[in-house]
Amino acid sequence: MVYVISKDGHPLMPTMRYGKVRRMLKSGLAKVISRCPFTIQLLYETTDITQDISLGVDAGSKDIGLSATTNLKVLFEAKVILRNDIVELISTRREHRHARRNRKTRHRKPRFDNRTRHEGWLAPSVRQKAESHITMVQKAHKILPVSHIKVETASFDIQKIKNPNISGTNYQNGEQTDFWNVREYVLWRDGHVCQCCKGKSKDKILNVHHIESRKTGGDSPNNLITLCEYCHKQYHLGKIKLPKTIHRGMSFRDAAFMGITRWAIYEKLKELYSDVNLTYGYITKNTRIENSLPKDHHIDARCISSNPKAESDGTVYFYKKVRCHNRQIHKSTINKGGIRKRNQAPYEVHGFRLYDKVTVNSVEAFVFGRRLDGRFAIRMLDGTKINEQLSYKKIKLLEMRKNYICERRTPLLIGASPDVPVAI
Ligand SMILES: [Zn+2]
Ligand SMILES: [Zn+2]
């Protein structure tokens, strides 16, 4: 599928007449705007004849599915992997700052007056995910004349699982006393009974255990669990495992994300576009099963777009949101001899940037690592290693890095594994 943009920049219907596209490009009637997805801009006036295109968005906390369809055809399908490193990065930064304040070194003073949060404030990790949804919808609108959008943000009612009284008390914005408060709450919630042995160990001393480390999981009630001291010690010695139900704090996190963000995404989309509708997961699931389609994010998105019968040629665009910049100045561990190593690599190494799209033996891949001696790590978008030590002389630049790196995957050739993308 070749996506077409008119002379004045409006998206037109995509085409599959590759011969015509080639001739137009050759004769200068059109120019290439983007390689992936392949988009051309016409250089002469045309009349816009567009069909009704529905864009389905399967919102998620880890990935997004997108599908733009007409009644008969799938025009664009994409799967987006979102960033999942923000909590860790911010926690690390907080720890570093905290540690620097106790040393005789340059540091930023703690701020106590920046705690007011404007209405609609979202935690950085969540905000990033919400913004990625909007950006992807905008990307689809740039290449296709989308007439309406349908979003699936939740499959169930979050209020039923979320505790209404206490939500997300985090020790970062309060005093340590907040934690003791929450601790008492957790003990009360768990009925002052060890949730591991249910009191069988006869140990009367109770601890409150962080399911995820305090650093990443925080002090919110859904990350805390009551354990007796015996079980707690045994667990940290690695001698016993906690029952599987105790790990549900993890699923709370995902659910909580959709709870906060679903309205943020929906409201923002309504602001930007005129025809936006909400749908729910159980409807999508039903449509998918009725049409006996496999489970995948982009297929779900196709069902959400309300054209589950639309025919697809199997092409799916894989996107991955990557970090734009890294502002950490020095490596956290100091080298022998007290030499602080710079953390930031130069923007260009031997003319290549991180996440540049390159070809290696006619396979498209990305630069995932660069060494000054010229040996580069070349990988696929999903992290599949192609060559970890390839000379930069053997790779050819295709596209400069973007914040959303993109890979086209076509239906498999006979014998190829479904995970191996085929070069265009
Ligand atoms: Zn116990
Ligand atoms: Zn513990």
Side-chain angles (χ1 to χ4, degrees):
M1 199 78 72
V2 175
Y3 302 96
V4 188
I5 289 171
S6 72
K7 196 182 177 187
D8 54 355
H10 294 297
L12 302 171
M13 290 305 283
T15 177
M16 285 183 87
R17 296 173 65 193
Y18 303 123
K20 192 186 175 192
V21 169
R22 205 175 299 126
R23 283 192 296 277
M24 274 165 53
L25 286 171
K26 229 176 182 178
S27 57
L29 289 170
K31 63 174 181 183
V32 180
I33 292 279
S34 153
R35 273 194 86 257
C36 182
F38 195 77
T39 314
I40 59 164
Q41 183 170 23
L42 302 179
L43 298 172
Y44 59 92
E45 300 286 346
T46 44
T47 46
D48 310 15
I49 304 162
T50 55
Q51 284 162 271
D52 193 51
I53 299 178
S54 170
L55 177 70
V57 183
D58 181 11
S61 66
K62 289 191 185 76
D63 19 35
I64 319 172
L66 286 157
S67 182
T69 54
T70 61
N71 290 333
L72 302 169
K73 243 183 186 171
V74 172
L75 302 177
F76 174 73
E77 254 173 14
K79 213 170 144 179
V80 190
I81 305 163
L82 299 172
R83 282 183 66 178
N84 234 346
D85 54 351
I86 290 174
V87 175
E88 179 65 31
L89 288 169
I90 288 181
S91 309
T92 310
R93 182 181 69 185
R94 188 170 59 233
E95 282 201 333
H96 283 161
R97 278 189 178 150
H98 187 91
R100 274 201 298 271
R101 284 177 198 135
N102 292 316
R103 279 188 274 129
K104 206 177 172 181
T105 183
R106 50 154 189 110
H107 62 265
R108 196 202 78 179
K109 279 191 180 151
R111 292 177 186 156
F112 296 105
D113 55 353
N114 66 345
R115 292 294 182 262
T116 39
R117 284 165 181 172
H118 61 85
E119 216 185 281
W121 178 90
L122 296 171
S125 57
V126 175
R127 194 184 69 193
Q128 138 67 26
K129 285 169 198 286
E131 280 172 358
S132 295
H133 282 76
I134 310 296
T135 311
M136 280 315 298
V137 170
Q138 285 173 331
K139 276 182 187 291
H141 275 79
K142 269 187 192 149
I143 56 170
L144 286 169
V146 176
S147 7
H148 46 266
I149 310 171
K150 230 173 178 185
V151 213
E152 179 205 304
T153 50
S155 55
F156 47 85
D157 196 346
I158 178 71
Q159 293 308 321
K160 282 178 187 165
I161 357 170
K162 214 168 114 188
N163 193 302
N165 301 321
I166 295 186
S167 60
T169 313
N170 206 324
Y171 83 115
Q172 146 198 3
N173 57 16
E175 293 303 316
Q176 197 68 359
T177 48
D178 272 353
F179 170 63
W180 293 103
N181 200 12
V182 178
R183 188 180 172 275
E184 284 303 315
Y185 165 74
V186 170
L187 289 169
W188 172 79
R189 181 195 66 187
D190 296 338
H192 291 270
V193 176
C194 168
Q195 297 300 297
C196 179
C197 65
K198 304 275 176 193
K200 277 182 195 143
S201 74
K202 299 249 186 318
D203 194 336
K204 287 262 160 64
I205 304 167
L206 294 176
N207 293 169
V208 169
H209 166 69
H210 286 82
I211 300 166
E212 263 188 71
S213 74
R214 179 188 225 153
K215 189 179 134 191
T216 55
D219 284 337
S220 68
N222 65 26
N223 189 41
L224 298 167
I225 196 87
T226 310
L227 295 179
C228 68
E229 194 157 81
Y230 175 78
C231 289
H232 195 196
K233 272 190 179 155
Q234 295 290 303
Y235 171 75
H236 280 288
L237 288 170
K239 286 183 181 161
I240 56 161
K241 274 189 180 167
L242 299 180
K244 273 190 182 150
T245 46
I246 285 179
H247 285 279
R248 66 187 178 174
M250 294 296 288
S251 59
F252 265 114
R253 290 202 122 204
D254 279 1
F257 160 72
M258 272 351 293
I260 314 159
T261 332
R262 53 186 290 200
W263 294 114
I265 295 170
Y266 182 53
E267 293 298 322
K268 184 77 194 165
L269 284 176
K270 272 209 300 197
E271 237 173 67
L272 290 169
Y273 304 105
S274 53
D275 200 345
V276 186
N277 287 299
L278 263 185
T279 182
Y280 288 92
Y282 67 94
I283 303 168
T284 311
K285 198 179 170 189
N286 200 30
T287 321
R288 177 162 48 78
I289 292 167
E290 259 178 22
N291 291 282
S292 50
L293 289 163
K295 163 122 194 76
D296 213 330
H297 278 284
H298 59 273
I299 306 243
D300 273 346
R302 198 189 299 168
C303 297
I304 293 163
S305 77
S306 38
N307 293 318
K309 287 205 163 69
E311 212 181 306
S312 163
D313 65 347
T315 306
V316 183
Y317 291 93
F318 276 74
Y319 284 89
K320 187 179 177 160
K321 175 77 177 83
V322 290
R323 197 175 181 178
C324 305
H325 187 45
N326 177 0
R327 287 191 291 182
Q328 187 181 339
I329 298 165
H330 293 115
K331 295 267 188 217
S332 50
T333 41
I334 299 166
N335 280 2
K336 234 180 182 177
I339 300 153
R340 279 177 179 276
K341 203 177 170 194
R342 262 186 84 82
N343 181 60
Q344 290 169 348
Y347 183 60
E348 278 186 15
V349 177
H350 295 292
F352 291 93
R353 292 142 293 253
L354 195 63
Y355 304 126
D356 269 353
K357 198 181 207 178
V358 294
T359 42
V360 181
N361 304 327
S362 72
V363 176
E364 288 191 9
F366 297 92
V367 174
F368 268 71
R370 304 161 302 158
R371 299 186 188 87
L372 279 176
D373 65 10
R375 289 175 300 128
F376 284 12
I378 309 294
R379 292 180 204 161
M380 291 293 197
L381 189 143
D382 59 3
T384 316
K385 289 171 186 175
I386 296 210
N387 196 327
E388 289 294 285
Q389 308 216 356
L390 191 68
S391 163
Y392 74 93
K393 286 173 187 160
K394 288 186 181 160
I395 57 180
K396 213 182 119 203
L397 181 72
L398 280 178
E399 266 177 274
M400 237 171 97
R401 66 152 294 161
K402 288 170 185 165
N403 298 337
Y404 289 81
I405 55 177
C406 172
E407 191 172 87
R408 194 182 87 147
R409 296 193 195 173
T410 46
L412 24 152
L413 302 169
I414 302 151
S417 101
D419 293 321
V420 177
V422 180
I424 304 163

